[in-house]
Amino acid sequence: SREPLIRFEGHYFDRRLSPANRQRARTDGLASPSAGAVANPRTQAGRWALLEKACAIDAKAANESVSWGIGQVMGAHWAWLGYADVDALVAEARCGVAGQVRLMARYIEKAGLAAAVCRRDWEAFARGYNGPQYRRYGYHRKLAAAYHRFRAESGEPLPEKRNTTLRIPKSPARKALPATAIPTKTQAARPVKPRFWNRLARTFSSFLGRG
C-alpha cells in the first residue's frame, strides 16, 4: 500500500492563516488568495513535501487545505463530516483504501448524493460532487465510462435493484496517525466490505485522485 493521493490548495491555506503566518506562507510560495496560483508538483512525493512545508507553518490549516485520497475530500470538511478534528479525517485517509472509501462515503451521504450513485445518474452526481463546472472537465462522462469499464472487466454485474440508502462502513477503533509527519513505512490497506464499496473506490480512483 501507499500514502493517499493528495492535492494542496494554496488559496484554502491562505485564508486559514494568521496575518503573520499568511505573509510567511506567501513569501515561501505556499499560499495565495487566487485559486490555482500555488502549483502542485507533478509527483505525489513532491506534493507531500509541499504539505510538510505548509505544516511547519500551521499544521491544522495545512491539513484542512488538502484534498485527500480516492475521493479527494477536502480536509476543511472535517467538522461537517462529523470528525472530531482535522487530524481524525487525515488519519482516516492515511489508514488505507478502506479509510479513504469511508471518508468518500461520508461525503456522498452528507451531500445528499447517495440516490444519484445508486441510480447510476452520473451527471447528477458529478454536478453535486464536482461543482457547476463538471461539464467543462467531463466528470460525468468519465464516471460513466469508468463504471461501465469496471463492470465489464469484473464480469459480475451489480444488482439492478435501486437501493437509495448507502451504508457507510464503520471506522475501526485505532490510534490516530501523526498528521504532520511523512512516514517511512506506509500503512497496509484493509479489505473493504461490502464489495460495493471496493467497486465504487475502483471506479472513482480512475480519475478523482488525479490532478
Side-chain angles (χ1 to χ4, degrees), residues 2-193:
R2 61 180 184 176
E3 283 293 312
L5 297 168
I6 62 170
R7 180 178 176 83
F8 183 77
E9 301 293 353
H11 62 297
Y12 268 71
F13 193 44
D14 190 77
R15 60 178 178 247
R16 283 169 168 73
L17 296 170
S18 67
N21 282 341
R22 183 179 300 117
Q23 185 56 51
R24 176 184 170 189
R26 288 182 179 182
T27 300
D28 291 347
L30 298 170
S32 170
S34 302
V38 177
N40 272 259
R42 293 182 64 85
T43 67
Q44 285 294 310
R47 295 183 186 192
W48 277 93
L50 183 69
L51 174 58
E52 189 173 30
K53 291 177 183 177
C55 283
I57 296 175
D58 187 324
K60 179 176 182 290
N63 285 318
E64 289 179 341
S65 304
V66 169
S67 54
W68 294 92
I70 289 169
Q72 291 290 276
V73 176
M74 288 300 300
H77 296 317
W78 62 267
W80 182 61
L81 294 176
Y83 289 96
D85 50 35
V86 69
D87 290 353
L89 183 150
V90 171
E92 184 88 292
R94 292 179 68 180
C95 78
V97 68
Q100 293 168 44
V101 172
R102 285 190 295 269
L103 172 57
M104 180 173 62
R106 280 199 192 203
Y107 187 94
I108 291 170
E109 187 71 35
K110 185 70 175 180
L113 298 173
V117 172
C118 291
R119 68 176 182 265
R120 326 298 188 236
D121 186 345
W122 304 122
E123 185 159 0
F125 179 82
R127 185 186 301 112
Y129 199 95
N130 301 103
Q133 298 216 29
Y134 74 97
R135 282 185 170 275
R136 176 182 176 185
Y137 299 103
Y139 288 134
H140 58 307
R141 293 191 300 273
K142 292 176 181 178
L143 264 171
Y147 170 76
H148 289 299
R149 182 170 62 251
F150 181 72
R151 185 171 181 177
E153 289 173 355
S154 70
E156 189 178 344
L158 292 173
E160 290 302 320
K161 183 179 179 181
R162 302 298 197 253
N163 180 356
T164 58
T165 301
L166 292 184
R167 293 175 56 220
I168 300 175
K170 187 177 180 181
S171 302
R174 63 179 181 279
K175 294 181 179 179
L177 297 174
T180 58
I182 308 298
T184 56
K185 188 175 182 180
T186 55
Q187 303 296 314
R190 297 182 177 90
V192 180
K193 295 181 180 180

